[in-house]
Amino acid sequence: MLLVVLSSCSKTSTETPYTPTPTIPAPVVTVPTKLVYPTNTLDSVSEINKTTSWYKTNKSFNELFDVHASYYWGFEITNANVLIPYNTSTTSSWSPSKSYYWNDLGNYLYTDLTGDGKKDLWAYYLKSPWPNNATGLHLFSEYEKSSNTADIQQGLTQVRKCVLADFNNDGQDEIMLFSSGYDAMPFPGDSLAIFYVKEKRYQYLSKDMGYFHGGATGDINNDGLVDIVAYSGWSAVIPTHPSSYINKGGGDFLLSNDIFKGFNADGSDNYYTVDLFDFDGDGWLDLFLGGQEKLRMIPNNKGIFDRSKAILIQSEKNLELMDMAFLDIDFDGKKDIITMSNKSGYNGFGLRLFLNKGGSFVDATTNYIDISSREGKNAWIKWIHLFDFDKDGDIDIVADGLFGDLNGSKGSKIYWKNNEGKFSAVGL
């Protein structure tokens, strides 16, 4: 038994997005015959891109982990405030009269966080029944070393995204948490937190409360320290706004929202997904923002992100962007973008591929991916990872966090197998 240790939606936009004047003719997509993406392809990014949470988190995955099939599917909480692990060996004990926490599908990290060569588990748990405003549980376990021992702390209300970042440059990653909170009384949403693995300590950044669905980390001002970017999406009372915490060293983060120019707080600039990546090769991390029927890249001008300079990449009806990945698909020396969106209000998914043609982005999904959409009740995918899922030596596109009709029996697996540069769906 484990004791609790206490520690200190989208809104459719009707805007007309800025689109740059094309400087080159519309490119023709040609698919090379026989392409192979070896696993070391992911390492061919610049040093500034290696500071990003996208790179670090994606690199941490070389397998999926099914929390529901682990020792920690969920927890029963007793009147004495004792947590009893709920797993496949204790399912017969379930009762509607009991109180539980359940793992939020796809909300975990399973990698070596302590540096001992064995994989550790970080996972987040929602208080049942959801929705509610109760704080959730943060679990850390040296799982591969000892699966029945864990540190569990009460923390944020609803962690939407967890990523890896080395904030203190000690070579050991911390875990960055972005939380939305529940969009109902009592407001105002939630905050951000950092988990320091060595001390099993959480640092809460509560200066800027928001409805944080998305966020990312990376050295946005090129001072050698990893910073934080988050976006508060639309809620009933909280204005939409981007936020940045500039890393000053020693655990000190300065809230600096003035680095964002030209954003609207009226809900027309509503974004769900955030990532950082130097896409134009100038050595500065660019900002990617995705939401309802849109994905934009905002170039980084020496630490300033000006909304008026945004480049529209994706605009497709009924798709809301959930996650993205970066890979040079056609081996032309420029990174391309793979996106995963929920479809028709979380009743389906849309996997898309955009080739970077040096000034414009071309939807080349049908040239590379055999099954890119599916509809079904609550059938959506939370994340995509790039790693060698089938262990044949090349990179596949792997789905994580499956919901509704896609989930089927718990433990379902969906991925797009790399067949000499074409990606074929497996598990759909």
Side-chain angles (χ1 to χ4, degrees):
M1 293 190 295
L2 299 168
L3 293 177
V4 176
V5 182
L6 296 177
S7 67
S8 65
C9 307
S10 305
K11 183 177 180 181
T12 302
S13 171
T14 58
E15 65 177 325
T16 301
Y18 169 83
T19 305
T21 302
T23 57
I24 57 174
V28 176
V29 176
T30 57
V31 183
T33 59
K34 193 173 183 179
L35 283 176
V36 176
Y37 310 103
T39 55
N40 62 8
T41 303
L42 293 173
D43 294 322
S44 63
V45 301
S46 64
E47 289 305 309
I48 193 67
N49 280 327
K50 288 181 179 178
T51 72
T52 65
S53 54
W54 179 83
Y55 175 80
K56 284 181 169 291
T57 307
N58 189 82
K59 281 285 291 181
S60 75
F61 279 88
N62 58 19
E63 65 176 309
L64 295 180
F65 184 81
D66 185 1
V67 178
H68 287 187
S70 76
Y71 189 69
Y72 299 115
W73 176 357
F75 295 94
E76 174 191 339
I77 182 169
T78 69
N79 292 335
N81 213 29
V82 174
L83 294 176
I84 302 174
Y86 184 95
N87 49 59
T88 54
S89 66
T90 58
T91 53
S92 61
S93 68
W94 182 85
S95 169
S97 63
K98 295 179 179 179
S99 182
Y100 294 94
Y101 291 92
W102 300 113
N103 172 247
D104 188 8
L105 278 172
N107 215 327
Y108 73 94
L109 291 166
Y110 186 61
T111 188
D112 180 10
L113 294 166
T114 61
D116 65 356
K118 297 182 182 298
K119 288 190 175 182
D120 310 302
L121 173 67
W122 188 94
Y124 174 73
Y125 297 79
L126 291 163
K127 181 71 171 63
S128 179
W130 183 258
N132 60 64
N133 268 295
T135 56
L137 298 182
H138 301 164
L139 175 145
F140 171 73
S141 171
E142 296 187 58
Y143 196 83
E144 200 171 28
K145 181 178 178 180
S146 178
S147 63
N148 59 356
T149 303
D151 175 84
I152 303 172
Q153 301 186 34
Q154 286 186 333
L156 298 169
T157 304
Q158 186 175 18
V159 174
R160 287 288 190 175
K161 188 176 183 181
C162 54
V163 296
L164 295 176
D166 184 1
F167 288 114
N168 50 21
N169 287 341
D170 65 352
Q172 182 172 337
D173 289 331
E174 286 76 52
I175 299 177
M176 180 71 214
L177 308 176
F178 301 90
S179 177
S180 66
Y182 174 53
D183 188 21
M185 293 296 291
F187 295 107
D190 212 351
S191 64
L192 315 175
I194 302 169
F195 178 55
Y196 295 89
V197 178
K198 287 180 181 178
E199 306 106 73
K200 298 183 178 61
R201 173 178 62 88
Y202 290 86
Q203 177 184 3
Y204 292 90
L205 307 177
S206 57
K207 295 179 182 178
D208 191 25
M209 301 294 287
Y211 197 57
F212 298 111
H213 286 91
T217 64
D219 184 3
I220 61 176
N221 59 359
N222 281 12
D223 66 351
L225 295 172
V226 171
D227 311 299
I228 303 164
V229 173
Y231 206 99
S232 178
W234 180 88
S235 74
V237 297
I238 304 170
T240 60
H241 65 279
S243 299
S244 77
Y245 282 83
I246 302 300
N247 189 350
K248 309 303 289 185
D252 182 22
F253 292 86
L254 176 65
L255 180 62
S256 302
N257 293 350
D258 57 351
I259 70 170
F260 304 101
K261 307 297 182 183
F263 285 84
N264 300 316
D266 60 1
S268 60
D269 267 329
N270 181 35
Y271 299 98
Y272 191 100
T273 302
V274 181
D275 262 308
L276 292 164
F277 201 84
D278 177 17
F279 219 68
D280 53 16
D282 65 354
W284 293 83
L285 294 176
D286 304 308
L287 178 62
F288 290 79
L289 297 172
Q292 184 72 33
E293 302 177 1
K294 59 192 172 188
L295 168 62
R296 288 189 175 81
M297 179 184 74
I298 303 179
N300 185 337
N301 183 13
K302 297 182 179 180
I304 300 296
F305 298 102
D306 186 344
R307 169 67 175 75
S308 69
K309 306 299 183 184
I311 297 172
L312 178 66
I313 297 171
Q314 177 179 355
S315 179
E316 186 174 346
K317 294 293 183 183
N318 298 320
L319 291 187
E320 180 179 35
L321 197 136
M322 307 299 295
D323 197 19
M324 67 190 82
F326 307 97
L327 183 68
D328 185 0
I329 294 292
D330 53 3
F331 280 95
D332 64 353
K334 298 186 290 291
K335 291 294 186 291
D336 307 300
I337 303 175
I338 304 168
T339 65
M340 174 60 73
S341 300
N342 83 72
K343 187 176 183 180
S344 302
Y346 294 91
N347 289 306
F349 73 84
L351 179 67
R352 300 292 184 265
L353 167 61
F354 298 90
L355 296 182
N356 176 8
K357 292 301 179 182
S360 62
F361 293 86
V362 179
D363 187 337
T365 305
T366 57
N367 299 90
Y368 288 87
I369 299 171
D370 64 344
I371 302 175
S372 59
S373 296
R374 180 62 57 86
E375 295 184 359
K377 185 177 180 181
N378 298 320
W380 61 285
I381 295 169
K382 185 177 285 186
W383 311 115
I384 49 172
H385 309 302
L386 302 180
F387 66 89
D388 185 8
F389 183 83
D390 54 10
K391 309 302 180 186
D392 65 352
D394 55 23
I395 295 172
D396 307 301
I397 302 172
V398 186
D400 197 6
L402 310 180
F403 288 81
D405 291 347
L406 295 176
N407 192 24
S409 60
K410 291 179 175 64
S412 298
K413 301 290 190 298
I414 294 173
Y415 74 106
W416 284 262
K417 178 180 175 58
N418 184 343
N419 291 310
E420 297 182 344
K422 306 292 183 63
F423 295 93
S424 302
V426 179
L428 283 175

mmCIF file of all heavy atoms in Angstrom, residues 151 212 216 229 274 296 316 326 370 377 396 402:
data_model
loop_
_atom_site.group_PDB
_atom_site.id
_atom_site.type_symbol
_atom_site.label_atom_id
_atom_site.label_comp_id
_atom_site.label_asym_id
_atom_site.label_seq_id
_atom_site.Cartn_x
_atom_site.Cartn_y
_atom_site.Cartn_z
ATOM 1 N N ASP A 151 6.971 6.708 -5.866
ATOM 2 C CA ASP A 151 6.735 7.978 -5.191
ATOM 3 C C ASP A 151 5.475 8.573 -5.803
ATOM 4 O O ASP A 151 5.382 8.736 -7.020
ATOM 5 C CB ASP A 151 7.921 8.923 -5.402
ATOM 6 C CG ASP A 151 7.660 10.307 -4.828
ATOM 7 O OD1 ASP A 151 7.871 10.489 -3.625
ATOM 8 O OD2 ASP A 151 7.232 11.194 -5.605
ATOM 9 N N PHE A 212 -3.848 25.472 -19.926
ATOM 10 C CA PHE A 212 -2.698 25.068 -20.727
ATOM 11 C C PHE A 212 -2.858 23.649 -21.271
ATOM 12 O O PHE A 212 -2.522 22.678 -20.610
ATOM 13 C CB PHE A 212 -1.416 25.172 -19.902
ATOM 14 C CG PHE A 212 -1.102 26.568 -19.438
ATOM 15 C CD1 PHE A 212 -1.183 26.902 -18.091
ATOM 16 C CD2 PHE A 212 -0.737 27.546 -20.343
ATOM 17 C CE1 PHE A 212 -0.910 28.190 -17.663
ATOM 18 C CE2 PHE A 212 -0.453 28.843 -19.921
ATOM 19 C CZ PHE A 212 -0.545 29.167 -18.579
ATOM 20 N N ALA A 216 5.866 23.627 -24.746
ATOM 21 C CA ALA A 216 7.112 23.043 -25.222
ATOM 22 C C ALA A 216 8.264 23.730 -24.512
ATOM 23 O O ALA A 216 8.108 24.806 -23.918
ATOM 24 C CB ALA A 216 7.241 23.202 -26.739
ATOM 25 N N VAL A 229 7.702 27.498 -23.138
ATOM 26 C CA VAL A 229 6.635 28.201 -23.846
ATOM 27 C C VAL A 229 5.347 27.422 -23.641
ATOM 28 O O VAL A 229 5.327 26.190 -23.783
ATOM 29 C CB VAL A 229 6.938 28.331 -25.349
ATOM 30 C CG1 VAL A 229 5.735 28.904 -26.097
ATOM 31 C CG2 VAL A 229 8.154 29.218 -25.574
ATOM 32 N N VAL A 274 1.495 22.970 -29.063
ATOM 33 C CA VAL A 274 2.654 23.856 -29.113
ATOM 34 C C VAL A 274 3.919 23.024 -29.270
ATOM 35 O O VAL A 274 4.100 22.021 -28.587
ATOM 36 C CB VAL A 274 2.763 24.709 -27.828
ATOM 37 C CG1 VAL A 274 3.956 25.656 -27.901
ATOM 38 C CG2 VAL A 274 1.476 25.473 -27.566
ATOM 39 N N ARG A 296 0.265 26.818 -37.571
ATOM 40 C CA ARG A 296 1.087 27.945 -37.983
ATOM 41 C C ARG A 296 2.504 27.810 -37.440
ATOM 42 O O ARG A 296 2.709 27.297 -36.337
ATOM 43 C CB ARG A 296 0.497 29.265 -37.487
ATOM 44 C CG ARG A 296 -0.742 29.666 -38.229
ATOM 45 C CD ARG A 296 -1.163 31.081 -37.857
ATOM 46 N NE ARG A 296 -2.286 31.466 -38.675
ATOM 47 C CZ ARG A 296 -3.540 31.103 -38.430
ATOM 48 N NH1 ARG A 296 -3.807 30.384 -37.373
ATOM 49 N NH2 ARG A 296 -4.507 31.469 -39.240
ATOM 50 N N GLU A 316 -7.518 22.660 -42.636
ATOM 51 C CA GLU A 316 -8.405 21.626 -43.168
ATOM 52 C C GLU A 316 -9.639 21.519 -42.292
ATOM 53 O O GLU A 316 -9.546 21.434 -41.065
ATOM 54 C CB GLU A 316 -7.684 20.290 -43.233
ATOM 55 C CG GLU A 316 -8.488 19.184 -43.902
ATOM 56 C CD GLU A 316 -7.680 17.909 -44.086
ATOM 57 O OE1 GLU A 316 -6.437 17.961 -43.950
ATOM 58 O OE2 GLU A 316 -8.295 16.872 -44.347
ATOM 59 N N PHE A 326 8.779 15.924 -36.680
ATOM 60 C CA PHE A 326 9.623 16.525 -37.703
ATOM 61 C C PHE A 326 10.599 15.484 -38.243
ATOM 62 O O PHE A 326 11.314 14.827 -37.480
ATOM 63 C CB PHE A 326 10.399 17.706 -37.110
ATOM 64 C CG PHE A 326 9.510 18.717 -36.423
ATOM 65 C CD1 PHE A 326 9.330 18.681 -35.046
ATOM 66 C CD2 PHE A 326 8.850 19.684 -37.156
ATOM 67 C CE1 PHE A 326 8.512 19.600 -34.403
ATOM 68 C CE2 PHE A 326 8.024 20.609 -36.522
ATOM 69 C CZ PHE A 326 7.850 20.574 -35.157
ATOM 70 N N ASP A 370 -0.745 5.211 -46.522
ATOM 71 C CA ASP A 370 -1.868 4.506 -47.158
ATOM 72 C C ASP A 370 -3.211 4.814 -46.507
ATOM 73 O O ASP A 370 -4.202 5.081 -47.192
ATOM 74 C CB ASP A 370 -1.610 2.990 -47.203
ATOM 75 C CG ASP A 370 -1.527 2.353 -45.830
ATOM 76 O OD1 ASP A 370 -1.362 3.094 -44.830
ATOM 77 O OD2 ASP A 370 -1.625 1.115 -45.733
ATOM 78 N N LYS A 377 -16.669 6.558 -33.061
ATOM 79 C CA LYS A 377 -17.068 7.195 -31.815
ATOM 80 C C LYS A 377 -15.848 7.390 -30.911
ATOM 81 O O LYS A 377 -15.188 6.434 -30.520
ATOM 82 C CB LYS A 377 -18.125 6.352 -31.105
ATOM 83 C CG LYS A 377 -18.684 7.026 -29.848
ATOM 84 C CD LYS A 377 -19.780 6.190 -29.213
ATOM 85 C CE LYS A 377 -20.330 6.887 -27.966
ATOM 86 N NZ LYS A 377 -21.395 6.084 -27.316
ATOM 87 N N ASP A 396 9.396 4.162 -37.870
ATOM 88 C CA ASP A 396 7.968 4.056 -38.125
ATOM 89 C C ASP A 396 7.253 5.236 -37.471
ATOM 90 O O ASP A 396 7.823 5.958 -36.654
ATOM 91 C CB ASP A 396 7.422 2.738 -37.555
ATOM 92 C CG ASP A 396 8.201 1.527 -38.047
ATOM 93 O OD1 ASP A 396 8.254 1.328 -39.269
ATOM 94 O OD2 ASP A 396 8.770 0.797 -37.215
ATOM 95 N N LEU A 402 -4.712 5.973 -27.393
ATOM 96 C CA LEU A 402 -5.818 5.641 -28.301
ATOM 97 C C LEU A 402 -7.135 5.697 -27.534
ATOM 98 O O LEU A 402 -7.248 5.124 -26.454
ATOM 99 C CB LEU A 402 -5.628 4.248 -28.896
ATOM 100 C CG LEU A 402 -4.266 3.926 -29.510
ATOM 101 C CD1 LEU A 402 -4.260 2.506 -30.054
ATOM 102 C CD2 LEU A 402 -3.915 4.913 -30.605
#
